[in-house]
Amino acid sequence: MKKQIAINELPIRIVFYILCALYGGLCLYLFYNQSIQQVYGDSLLFESDLPYHISMVVDDGWYYSLTAFVYAFLYKIAGGTVLIAVFLAFVAAGTVIATQKLLELIVSDRYGISCAGALALNFVMPFFVKWAGMYRYVSYQSPNVWHNSTYIVMRLCAVIFMYFYVKYEKDYAEKTISFKRWLILALLLALTTFVKPSFLTVFAPALALKLLWDLIKNKVKFLRAFLMGITVVPSMLVILWQNSVLFGEDTDSGYKISFMETFSFHADHPKVTVVLSVAFPVVVFVCLAVETLIRLAGNKTPKQEENKGYKKEKMLTSPLRDKTYIFSLVMAAVGFAEAILLIETGHRSKDGNFLWGYSVALFFLYLTSFKKWYGFIKERKWIPAAVCGAVFAYQIVCGAIFFTRLVSGETYFMIG
């Protein structure tokens, strides 16, 4: 049976990897053109942070991220930026493949669903409405970014980490996590943090809240929760070093509390763009809430449905029993709180760097929301499936338009 399934999947695998290769090729063209732009030039053609990141290493010798060491090595052996562009293109295509593996793990269904979902999730952009925010990217908050190389690399590392976290978290409450598993999680999280600290700032608080809930509500043994919790310790050491580099005494940078300031930089109606940035997850959440109320009204609790023959892992539209979905909601809430409250001071005050944690949290929220939407389809709940699908489709179109215009050379500050 397994061999037959593999044969049936072969055409889908071929098409999927061809599309990943095509996407990687477009990204190579994009990233190379970004890399050769003048740092302080007047042209907005292929505008990005990449030439600044390269210059900080090659010209200034300033290191705070693992990518800086990679860029320095690749620039030296190539005598230019071409290998840096190749590296980033592999990262971008690799993120699609890693997303597919993570989707396959949490959805546990047909291979084609995870392939289609992975491609869509790596293009989805905010629900663009020009009245609310005229700039397709900077007026909103997006899980997908093509102009910031450290975010691009960090997100791949975060997806790989989340694959192992979801895989190992399933049974940590029943048996103490092994040293091998602990080491894999700790090293992958430290690697992700070394690239960019943003993911840790949303993951660590969410993990702390989850473990506290497990201790109090689910009666998980303290040692098991403790061992899972200290996987963040190596990353905390990394982030302390990064903090000294980014906000040390020899810099003019710091941070302060300022409500909603970052969201207001480029949006005409920032409260509206905040909602439009999470349109698909919001619509999915509302539909799930309605489904839950209907179940409660009909006295159909998840436990009763399970007793009627439903398997727990197949109840894709049951939000209360989906730990991965709830965890993504908590991460997004943490990221939103950080983004709405914190802002840097000094020369980076307008860069919106506290948005990066929220952006990567949104990526995982979109991913788990995709799982829930697929649940509506699988359980033949056509009304919520159609509503959510229409919103998701428009956001994919928004992403395709944005990416196409980026590849043509437009700035990521593009209007309309």
Side-chain angles (χ1 to χ4, degrees):
M1 176 62 74
K2 290 184 179 180
K3 185 176 181 180
Q4 184 64 39
I5 293 175
I7 292 173
N8 292 339
E9 289 176 354
L10 185 59
I12 299 175
R13 289 180 183 271
I14 293 172
V15 172
F16 175 66
Y17 285 109
I18 288 174
L19 291 175
C20 288
L22 289 173
Y23 173 60
L26 290 171
C27 286
L28 175 59
Y29 176 80
L30 173 63
F31 296 145
Y32 178 70
N33 279 284
Q34 289 178 349
S35 71
I36 59 176
Q37 301 306 308
Q38 293 183 358
V39 175
Y40 297 107
D42 296 328
S43 174
L44 296 178
L45 198 66
F46 292 103
E47 184 181 14
S48 77
D49 297 339
L50 183 55
Y52 296 91
H53 291 165
I54 296 172
S55 177
M56 284 190 297
V57 178
V58 175
D59 300 327
D60 304 328
W62 196 67
Y63 298 80
Y64 89 94
S65 166
L66 178 62
T67 57
F69 297 93
V70 174
Y71 293 170
F73 173 74
L74 295 176
Y75 189 92
K76 183 176 181 179
I77 64 174
T81 63
V82 62
L83 287 184
I84 296 174
V86 171
F87 166 71
L88 291 174
F90 271 104
V91 168
T95 303
V96 180
I97 295 170
T99 304
Q100 184 274 321
K101 297 297 182 185
L102 179 54
L103 267 178
E104 193 174 25
L105 178 66
I106 68 171
V107 176
S108 300
D109 209 273
R110 289 178 296 177
Y111 182 78
I113 298 299
S114 59
C115 290
L119 289 164
L121 289 166
N122 279 272
F123 275 96
V124 69
M125 289 285 286
F127 194 104
F128 177 71
V129 177
K130 193 172 183 178
W131 164 82
M134 68 175 67
Y135 300 99
R136 281 190 172 270
Y137 168 71
V138 295
S139 294
Y140 303 80
Q141 300 83 53
S142 176
N144 287 308
V145 170
W146 289 275
H147 74 275
N148 186 277
S149 64
T150 52
Y151 177 86
I152 291 167
V153 180
M154 176 200 68
R155 189 178 61 174
L156 171 60
C157 296
V159 173
I160 295 172
F161 168 79
M162 286 300 292
Y163 173 86
F164 286 98
Y165 170 76
V166 172
K167 188 175 181 180
Y168 295 160
E169 188 275 337
K170 289 180 179 179
D171 59 0
Y172 99 96
E174 281 72 39
K175 60 181 181 180
T176 304
I177 188 171
S178 67
F179 176 72
K180 178 182 176 181
R181 290 186 172 191
W182 185 92
L183 190 62
I184 289 173
L185 292 178
L187 290 179
L188 284 174
L189 185 57
L191 177 68
T192 306
T193 306
F194 193 10
V195 174
K196 199 177 187 74
S198 307
F199 176 69
L200 183 69
T201 64
V202 294
F203 175 79
L207 179 64
L209 291 172
K210 176 206 166 358
L211 295 177
L212 184 63
W213 176 265
D214 284 345
L215 284 170
I216 297 173
K217 181 69 175 179
N218 298 328
K219 307 301 180 184
V220 173
K221 291 184 178 180
F222 176 79
L223 178 62
R224 292 170 182 169
F226 176 76
L227 289 175
M228 179 63 78
I230 62 173
T231 55
V232 306
V233 170
S235 300
M236 297 302 295
L237 299 176
V238 173
I239 206 172
L240 286 173
W241 169 74
Q242 289 172 323
N243 187 71
S244 68
V245 175
L246 293 170
F247 302 105
E249 293 181 359
D250 58 342
T251 72
D252 68 341
S253 299
Y255 41 87
K256 65 179 182 178
I257 295 177
S258 181
F259 183 75
M260 204 75 182
E261 185 173 347
T262 302
F263 291 148
S264 304
F265 283 159
H266 305 290
D268 299 300
H269 301 280
K271 293 179 182 177
V272 178
T273 58
V274 164
V275 177
L276 292 174
S277 299
V278 288
F280 175 64
V282 165
V283 172
V284 170
F285 182 85
V286 170
C287 290
L288 288 170
V290 171
E291 286 290 320
T292 301
L293 291 174
I294 292 173
R295 282 175 173 169
L296 292 175
N299 294 319
K300 292 182 179 180
T301 65
K303 185 66 178 177
Q304 288 172 326
E305 291 189 348
E306 186 178 348
N307 291 337
K308 289 182 179 180
Y310 289 89
K311 293 183 179 179
K312 179 180 177 181
E313 65 270 22
K314 295 299 183 183
M315 295 175 62
L316 298 178
T317 58
S318 177
L320 299 178
R321 306 189 67 172
D322 190 332
K323 293 186 292 184
T324 307
Y325 178 65
I326 292 174
F327 192 80
S328 71
L329 287 172
V330 175
M331 276 208 305
V334 171
F336 179 72
E338 293 172 355
I340 203 172
L341 292 175
L342 298 175
I343 190 171
E344 285 186 281
T345 59
H347 71 282
R348 295 197 300 265
S349 62
K350 299 296 183 181
D351 291 353
N353 285 324
F354 282 105
L355 284 170
W356 296 123
Y358 184 43
S359 292
V360 73
L362 285 183
F363 184 79
F364 294 109
L365 179 60
Y366 270 85
L367 189 146
T368 58
S369 297
F370 175 86
K371 171 188 176 181
K372 293 302 181 186
W373 172 58
Y374 175 60
F376 289 135
I377 297 173
K378 189 172 182 181
E379 296 179 13
R380 298 183 180 181
K381 296 171 180 175
W382 301 122
I383 294 178
V387 172
C388 297
V391 173
F392 191 49
Y394 176 67
Q395 292 191 244
I396 295 170
V397 170
C398 290
I401 292 172
F402 182 73
F403 181 74
T404 301
R405 291 172 65 177
L406 277 182
V407 172
S408 71
E410 286 193 54
T411 171
Y412 62 93
F413 276 86
M414 66 181 69
I415 299 175

